[in-house]
Amino acid sequence: MGWTVFLLARSCISSWRPETGFLRHTVCRTCIRQLSVGSVEQDCPPSTQRRSPIRIGCASGFWGDTAASVPQLVYGGKLDFLVFDYLSEITMSLLTAAKAKSPSLGYAPDFIHTAMAPYLKDLHKSGIRVVSNAGGTNPLACAAALHDIVKKNGLDLKIAVVTGDDLMKQKDAFKEAGITDMDSGKPFPDHVQSMNAYLGARPISRALDLGADIVITGRCVDSSLVLGPLIHSFGWKRNDFDLLAAGSLAGHLIECGAQCTGGIYTDWYLVPDWHNIGFPIVECTSEGKFTISKPQETGGLISFGTVAEQLVYEIGDPEHYLLPDVSCDFSQVFISELQDAEAVSVQGAQGVQPSSFYKVCATYLDGYRATAVCAVGGPRSAEKGRRTAESILKRTREMFTQLGLEDYSAVHLQIIGAEDVYGPHTRGKDLVREAVIWLGVQHKQKKALEIFAREIAPAGTGMAPGLTAVVGGRPRVSPVLKPFFFLYPRKNVNIDIFMDGKHIEAFVDDHSFTVDEYISAVEPITPEVPKGVWTYSNLITLKELTTFWLLLTNV
């Protein structure tokens, strides 16, 4: 049984010239495809050699993902490669803050101590090679820490590092150049915390070519963790655009771990055994056809629906999913469930030349936040909770006025249990006998939120009865980090490859297979948020939100 998923979008799109910052004209996608094919160098014929399929498993979708994924993939996946995706934009800021505290930090320690250390001998014995962006803002330190554990285990594993994504040393030059955000047009921020280019798969494949057993990178596009091993294994060339698009799709489908095996699936009630949810495995051929499966005797679900939902996750315009190695068209992708096997086959991705620019994400400090979570019990709990929160806000605002401080820059008040998320469609809120106050605030100055944090507990004796707990104790004041995106010429980014701590070579890319115009995705329609109202969706994505709350206290 099979279905075809057609992701329809506009046939003509806007062409973006980064050096000007203005939309110049409209370019037909068909013309771009003809231009791409016509400009390919004649000495680089497409790959035709057939090789054995490659199996790649993904054990992590973000920093903080479950440790249960590694053993199921190592012992039940029959893998050639094991990849770990740890990075989001907010994660890069957190790792930057960690590195500022100690030059030996700045990477994901879970990768070293939880994912690698217990399984190094079995990985070595089975010949499974590992690729991960766990290096964060300090990939060399990550590799050094892993090398120490490899040495203690008496193993001979070559650890390669890809560097070059970190552009923080150039932040002053970027500011002086008047670079603006590619989406909003905002000026370059003052308090930049991190700044990284999204590198592609070629440096990873080159490190594998050089004999690396483990490849550690900083920021790269998530799908490149899979595309790199496929390029290395099959010898795909720079102008094998459809193959590169297929490999990128394979990487995209498994990059978020259990999301494509039933995690956060719309029909969640159909997904069994969340406690033992299987992590994804892609088996890809040299022709770019692949299947998605998971280890046997694991929970979760592989179906048309679970894979299709992951396909459209965070790609914007499905006809123009822009990556450093290829610009992808996923609009004709065919997903088919395999009979007598919990797996799906995927094919139909197409590609054209990528842009000659890297996308760069800078994160910057934009004030501070604090969040209070308090349980309220007893009759009319929703009413008591709301009045308590509003009284805390009124009291602290009066204190701000006395001290000459500004008002909150944003406030989020929600009474959990009163169906606040349903707005005017809420039902039975007057019958609520227990509720939870969720009160989040932002302010430009840290000391203002320290006042707020101190004024939560007094509500327990000076306001409504039934305030039973302040979850987590006094609220912690944390920095607000926001992203800033711009484009930067690939030719200006210097990429280096290290092996076992020694510089091996400077990676030299071939820019003849790129186009100078950056094809923008279809602009999403974003609803306006009333001034002074803060929602998490204004700040970070689902993956970033999870990472932020799990890891902020550990930085």
Side-chain angles (χ1 to χ4, degrees):
M1 183 182 295
W3 296 263
T4 302
V5 54
F6 292 100
L7 309 175
L8 302 178
R10 297 182 302 186
S11 59
C12 292
I13 55 171
S14 299
S15 174
W16 178 264
R17 291 188 179 274
E19 67 273 18
T20 63
F22 295 99
L23 287 173
R24 297 292 297 273
H25 55 278
T26 299
V27 179
C28 178
R29 187 187 177 285
T30 303
C31 298
I32 289 294
R33 180 177 292 281
Q34 293 173 349
L35 171 64
S36 301
V37 174
S39 62
V40 170
E41 292 187 359
Q42 298 302 314
D43 60 352
C44 187
S47 301
T48 57
Q49 183 178 1
R50 291 191 176 186
R51 305 184 184 183
S52 299
I54 296 297
R55 289 174 62 87
I56 303 174
C58 179
S60 175
F62 63 96
W63 183 20
D65 212 340
T66 176
S69 59
V70 181
Q72 63 169 245
L73 289 168
V74 171
Y75 303 122
K78 300 178 182 179
L79 302 180
D80 297 289
F81 294 90
L82 180 62
V83 303
F84 297 82
D85 177 22
Y86 286 104
L87 301 182
S88 68
E89 288 71 27
I90 295 300
T91 305
M92 294 300 292
S93 292
L94 299 175
L95 295 176
T96 298
K99 186 178 179 181
K101 294 180 179 179
S102 172
S104 63
L105 300 178
Y107 59 87
D110 296 8
F111 174 68
I112 304 297
H113 304 294
T114 304
M116 288 284 96
Y119 308 103
L120 277 173
K121 291 184 179 179
D122 292 324
L123 286 166
H124 179 59
K125 182 179 179 180
S126 60
I128 299 174
R129 302 167 81 177
V130 175
V131 180
S132 177
N133 57 17
T137 60
N138 203 351
L140 289 172
C142 181
L146 183 58
H147 183 267
D148 289 342
I149 295 178
V150 169
K151 188 175 180 180
K152 289 179 181 178
N153 281 273
L155 300 175
D156 180 19
L157 292 172
K158 293 183 178 180
I159 304 174
V161 174
V162 175
T163 66
D165 62 294
D166 189 349
L167 304 179
M168 277 294 284
K169 292 182 180 180
Q170 303 179 53
K171 66 176 182 178
D172 292 337
F174 290 146
K175 186 171 182 61
E176 292 174 2
I179 288 178
T180 59
D181 185 273
M182 61 187 292
D183 296 319
S184 67
K186 292 181 179 179
F188 196 82
D190 293 323
H191 306 291
V192 173
Q193 303 295 300
S194 65
M195 185 161 49
N196 299 82
Y198 292 82
L199 303 185
R202 290 283 168 186
I204 295 173
S205 68
R206 179 56 182 162
L208 294 169
D209 293 344
L210 293 170
D213 299 295
I214 301 171
V215 180
I216 296 173
T217 76
R219 196 58 170 116
C220 59
V221 295
D222 299 345
S223 58
S224 67
L225 300 173
V226 171
L227 180 59
L230 294 176
I231 292 173
H232 161 73
S233 299
F234 298 138
W236 291 345
K237 296 181 176 14
R238 285 176 172 81
N239 64 327
D240 286 330
F241 298 124
D242 287 348
L243 293 177
L244 296 174
S248 297
L249 176 57
H252 170 69
L253 289 177
I254 71 171
E255 71 188 37
C256 292
Q259 279 188 204
C260 80
T261 58
I264 64 172
Y265 182 41
T266 298
D267 296 331
W268 54 269
Y269 48 86
L270 301 176
V271 182
D273 301 328
W274 290 342
H275 70 284
N276 186 36
I277 193 167
F279 272 64
I281 300 168
V282 60
E283 181 172 310
C284 188
T285 70
S286 58
E287 296 82 31
K289 298 179 181 179
F290 62 88
T291 61
I292 302 290
S293 63
K294 61 184 181 67
Q296 294 183 358
E297 299 182 358
T298 59
L301 177 67
I302 296 283
S303 69
F304 168 81
T306 63
V307 175
E309 285 193 5
Q310 176 60 27
L311 191 156
V312 297
Y313 179 72
E314 292 185 338
I315 65 170
D317 182 352
E319 285 192 325
H320 308 95
Y321 183 42
L322 310 180
L323 298 170
D325 298 285
V326 61
S327 294
C328 304
D329 178 1
F330 295 157
S331 64
Q332 303 300 315
V333 167
F334 184 85
I335 300 173
S336 178
E337 292 185 359
L338 301 181
Q339 293 186 7
D340 302 322
E342 192 171 356
V344 300
S345 67
V346 184
Q347 56 184 301
Q350 297 176 312
V352 297
Q353 282 177 293
S355 168
S356 60
F357 295 86
Y358 281 129
K359 184 178 181 179
V360 179
C361 177
T363 57
Y364 64 97
L365 180 64
D366 188 38
Y368 299 87
R369 70 155 65 86
T371 302
V373 179
C374 308
V376 183
R380 299 167 64 185
S381 288
E383 181 184 349
K384 289 192 293 185
R386 190 174 306 281
R387 182 176 172 185
T388 296
E390 291 172 347
S391 297
I392 292 171
L393 290 172
K394 185 174 182 179
R395 174 183 288 175
T396 52
R397 280 172 166 145
E398 290 178 352
M399 292 179 173
F400 293 171
T401 300
Q402 294 170 1
L403 295 172
L405 298 173
E406 297 179 7
D407 191 9
Y408 296 108
S409 54
V411 172
H412 173 83
L413 171 57
Q414 180 176 342
I415 306 301
I416 301 173
E419 298 191 0
D420 277 9
V421 294
Y422 291 93
H425 304 290
T426 183
R427 294 180 296 184
K429 64 180 180 180
D430 294 335
L431 303 178
V432 173
R433 293 188 297 172
E434 60 180 8
V436 176
I437 302 169
W438 179 8
L439 178 58
V441 292
Q442 279 185 219
H443 201 284
K444 295 297 183 182
Q445 298 186 53
K446 186 176 182 179
K447 65 179 181 180
L449 295 191
E450 290 173 344
I451 294 172
F452 167 83
R454 290 196 298 266
E455 291 300 322
I456 302 301
T461 57
M463 296 184 186
L467 191 71
T468 61
V470 179
V471 179
R474 178 178 290 184
R476 176 171 176 163
V477 179
S478 307
V480 173
L481 301 170
K482 293 185 178 180
F484 179 95
F485 297 99
F486 63 96
L487 303 176
Y488 189 59
R490 298 165 63 129
K491 62 183 180 182
N492 294 344
V493 176
N494 299 317
I495 301 174
D496 291 289
I497 298 176
F498 295 78
M499 189 79 74
D500 296 333
K502 298 180 181 179
H503 183 265
I504 297 297
E505 67 177 39
F507 176 77
V508 179
D509 204 354
D510 185 349
H511 302 295
S512 62
F513 295 97
T514 62
V515 291
D516 289 336
E517 291 176 326
Y518 182 86
I519 308 302
S520 64
V522 176
E523 295 184 4
I525 300 175
T526 304
E528 292 188 5
V529 178
K531 185 177 181 181
V533 176
W534 165 52
T535 65
Y536 282 112
S537 60
N538 298 138
L539 304 175
I540 49 183
T541 66
L542 173 65
K543 183 188 292 188
E544 293 162 353
L545 176 63
T546 306
T547 303
F548 182 84
W549 288 113
L550 282 174
L551 303 173
L552 184 60
T553 57
N554 295 324
V555 173

PDB file of all heavy atoms in Angstrom, residues 195-208:
ATOM      1  N   MET A 195      27.770  33.177  17.062  1.00  0.00           N
ATOM      2  CA  MET A 195      27.577  33.477  15.642  1.00  0.00           C
ATOM      3  C   MET A 195      28.222  32.354  14.832  1.00  0.00           C
ATOM      4  O   MET A 195      29.445  32.181  14.855  1.00  0.00           O
ATOM      5  CB  MET A 195      28.199  34.829  15.292  1.00  0.00           C
ATOM      6  CG  MET A 195      27.936  35.268  13.868  1.00  0.00           C
ATOM      7  SD  MET A 195      28.185  37.052  13.648  1.00  0.00           S
ATOM      8  CE  MET A 195      29.787  37.274  14.415  1.00  0.00           C
ATOM      9  N   ASN A 196      27.392  31.585  14.155  1.00  0.00           N
ATOM     10  CA  ASN A 196      27.888  30.390  13.487  1.00  0.00           C
ATOM     11  C   ASN A 196      27.262  30.219  12.118  1.00  0.00           C
ATOM     12  O   ASN A 196      26.053  30.393  11.955  1.00  0.00           O
ATOM     13  CB  ASN A 196      27.593  29.142  14.323  1.00  0.00           C
ATOM     14  CG  ASN A 196      28.253  29.191  15.687  1.00  0.00           C
ATOM     15  OD1 ASN A 196      27.726  29.807  16.625  1.00  0.00           O
ATOM     16  ND2 ASN A 196      29.393  28.554  15.799  1.00  0.00           N
ATOM     17  N   ALA A 197      28.080  29.846  11.153  1.00  0.00           N
ATOM     18  CA  ALA A 197      27.603  29.507   9.818  1.00  0.00           C
ATOM     19  C   ALA A 197      27.127  28.060   9.806  1.00  0.00           C
ATOM     20  O   ALA A 197      27.704  27.202  10.474  1.00  0.00           O
ATOM     21  CB  ALA A 197      28.716  29.710   8.797  1.00  0.00           C
ATOM     22  N   TYR A 198      26.082  27.802   9.043  1.00  0.00           N
ATOM     23  CA  TYR A 198      25.581  26.440   8.892  1.00  0.00           C
ATOM     24  C   TYR A 198      26.389  25.745   7.791  1.00  0.00           C
ATOM     25  O   TYR A 198      26.105  25.914   6.603  1.00  0.00           O
ATOM     26  CB  TYR A 198      24.101  26.446   8.516  1.00  0.00           C
ATOM     27  CG  TYR A 198      23.176  26.943   9.595  1.00  0.00           C
ATOM     28  CD1 TYR A 198      22.973  28.307   9.794  1.00  0.00           C
ATOM     29  CD2 TYR A 198      22.477  26.062  10.398  1.00  0.00           C
ATOM     30  CE1 TYR A 198      22.111  28.771  10.777  1.00  0.00           C
ATOM     31  CE2 TYR A 198      21.599  26.513  11.376  1.00  0.00           C
ATOM     32  CZ  TYR A 198      21.429  27.874  11.557  1.00  0.00           C
ATOM     33  OH  TYR A 198      20.571  28.335  12.522  1.00  0.00           O
ATOM     34  N   LEU A 199      27.403  24.979   8.188  1.00  0.00           N
ATOM     35  CA  LEU A 199      28.234  24.276   7.219  1.00  0.00           C
ATOM     36  C   LEU A 199      27.483  23.082   6.644  1.00  0.00           C
ATOM     37  O   LEU A 199      26.475  22.634   7.187  1.00  0.00           O
ATOM     38  CB  LEU A 199      29.536  23.821   7.867  1.00  0.00           C
ATOM     39  CG  LEU A 199      30.408  24.903   8.508  1.00  0.00           C
ATOM     40  CD1 LEU A 199      31.721  24.301   9.007  1.00  0.00           C
ATOM     41  CD2 LEU A 199      30.680  26.056   7.538  1.00  0.00           C
ATOM     42  N   GLY A 200      28.026  22.553   5.548  1.00  0.00           N
ATOM     43  CA  GLY A 200      27.383  21.445   4.869  1.00  0.00           C
ATOM     44  C   GLY A 200      28.047  20.113   5.133  1.00  0.00           C
ATOM     45  O   GLY A 200      28.801  19.933   6.104  1.00  0.00           O
ATOM     46  N   ALA A 201      27.796  19.164   4.218  1.00  0.00           N
ATOM     47  CA  ALA A 201      28.216  17.777   4.413  1.00  0.00           C
ATOM     48  C   ALA A 201      29.605  17.477   3.882  1.00  0.00           C
ATOM     49  O   ALA A 201      30.227  16.487   4.297  1.00  0.00           O
ATOM     50  CB  ALA A 201      27.207  16.852   3.736  1.00  0.00           C
ATOM     51  N   ARG A 202      30.118  18.265   2.955  1.00  0.00           N
ATOM     52  CA  ARG A 202      31.393  17.941   2.319  1.00  0.00           C
ATOM     53  C   ARG A 202      32.566  17.852   3.295  1.00  0.00           C
ATOM     54  O   ARG A 202      33.385  16.928   3.184  1.00  0.00           O
ATOM     55  CB  ARG A 202      31.703  18.958   1.221  1.00  0.00           C
ATOM     56  CG  ARG A 202      30.786  18.851   0.011  1.00  0.00           C
ATOM     57  CD  ARG A 202      31.152  17.679  -0.873  1.00  0.00           C
ATOM     58  NE  ARG A 202      30.116  17.415  -1.873  1.00  0.00           N
ATOM     59  CZ  ARG A 202      30.126  16.383  -2.692  1.00  0.00           C
ATOM     60  NH1 ARG A 202      31.106  15.498  -2.636  1.00  0.00           N
ATOM     61  NH2 ARG A 202      29.144  16.210  -3.554  1.00  0.00           N
ATOM     62  N   PRO A 203      32.703  18.758   4.258  1.00  0.00           N
ATOM     63  CA  PRO A 203      33.810  18.605   5.216  1.00  0.00           C
ATOM     64  C   PRO A 203      33.702  17.306   6.017  1.00  0.00           C
ATOM     65  O   PRO A 203      34.719  16.695   6.343  1.00  0.00           O
ATOM     66  CB  PRO A 203      33.675  19.836   6.112  1.00  0.00           C
ATOM     67  CG  PRO A 203      32.943  20.837   5.275  1.00  0.00           C
ATOM     68  CD  PRO A 203      31.998  20.039   4.449  1.00  0.00           C
ATOM     69  N   ILE A 204      32.471  16.887   6.324  1.00  0.00           N
ATOM     70  CA  ILE A 204      32.276  15.626   7.050  1.00  0.00           C
ATOM     71  C   ILE A 204      32.711  14.449   6.192  1.00  0.00           C
ATOM     72  O   ILE A 204      33.431  13.555   6.643  1.00  0.00           O
ATOM     73  CB  ILE A 204      30.805  15.475   7.474  1.00  0.00           C
ATOM     74  CG1 ILE A 204      30.424  16.553   8.492  1.00  0.00           C
ATOM     75  CG2 ILE A 204      30.547  14.081   8.055  1.00  0.00           C
ATOM     76  CD1 ILE A 204      28.948  16.588   8.837  1.00  0.00           C
ATOM     77  N   SER A 205      32.292  14.448   4.934  1.00  0.00           N
ATOM     78  CA  SER A 205      32.672  13.342   4.051  1.00  0.00           C
ATOM     79  C   SER A 205      34.179  13.312   3.853  1.00  0.00           C
ATOM     80  O   SER A 205      34.775  12.231   3.766  1.00  0.00           O
ATOM     81  CB  SER A 205      31.951  13.463   2.704  1.00  0.00           C
ATOM     82  OG  SER A 205      32.401  14.582   1.962  1.00  0.00           O
ATOM     83  N   ARG A 206      34.807  14.476   3.791  1.00  0.00           N
ATOM     84  CA  ARG A 206      36.264  14.514   3.636  1.00  0.00           C
ATOM     85  C   ARG A 206      36.959  13.939   4.865  1.00  0.00           C
ATOM     86  O   ARG A 206      37.943  13.198   4.750  1.00  0.00           O
ATOM     87  CB  ARG A 206      36.726  15.955   3.389  1.00  0.00           C
ATOM     88  CG  ARG A 206      38.236  16.109   3.240  1.00  0.00           C
ATOM     89  CD  ARG A 206      38.776  15.234   2.134  1.00  0.00           C
ATOM     90  NE  ARG A 206      40.228  15.351   2.030  1.00  0.00           N
ATOM     91  CZ  ARG A 206      40.999  14.474   1.411  1.00  0.00           C
ATOM     92  NH1 ARG A 206      40.449  13.401   0.829  1.00  0.00           N
ATOM     93  NH2 ARG A 206      42.292  14.661   1.352  1.00  0.00           N
ATOM     94  N   ALA A 207      36.463  14.251   6.052  1.00  0.00           N
ATOM     95  CA  ALA A 207      37.046  13.699   7.275  1.00  0.00           C
ATOM     96  C   ALA A 207      36.930  12.180   7.292  1.00  0.00           C
ATOM     97  O   ALA A 207      37.852  11.469   7.718  1.00  0.00           O
ATOM     98  CB  ALA A 207      36.366  14.301   8.494  1.00  0.00           C
ATOM     99  N   LEU A 208      35.795  11.664   6.807  1.00  0.00           N
ATOM    100  CA  LEU A 208      35.634  10.214   6.712  1.00  0.00           C
ATOM    101  C   LEU A 208      36.577   9.630   5.661  1.00  0.00           C
ATOM    102  O   LEU A 208      37.138   8.544   5.845  1.00  0.00           O
ATOM    103  CB  LEU A 208      34.184   9.867   6.385  1.00  0.00           C
ATOM    104  CG  LEU A 208      33.158  10.207   7.475  1.00  0.00           C
ATOM    105  CD1 LEU A 208      31.738  10.059   6.932  1.00  0.00           C
ATOM    106  CD2 LEU A 208      33.348   9.317   8.702  1.00  0.00           C
TER     107      LEU A 208
END
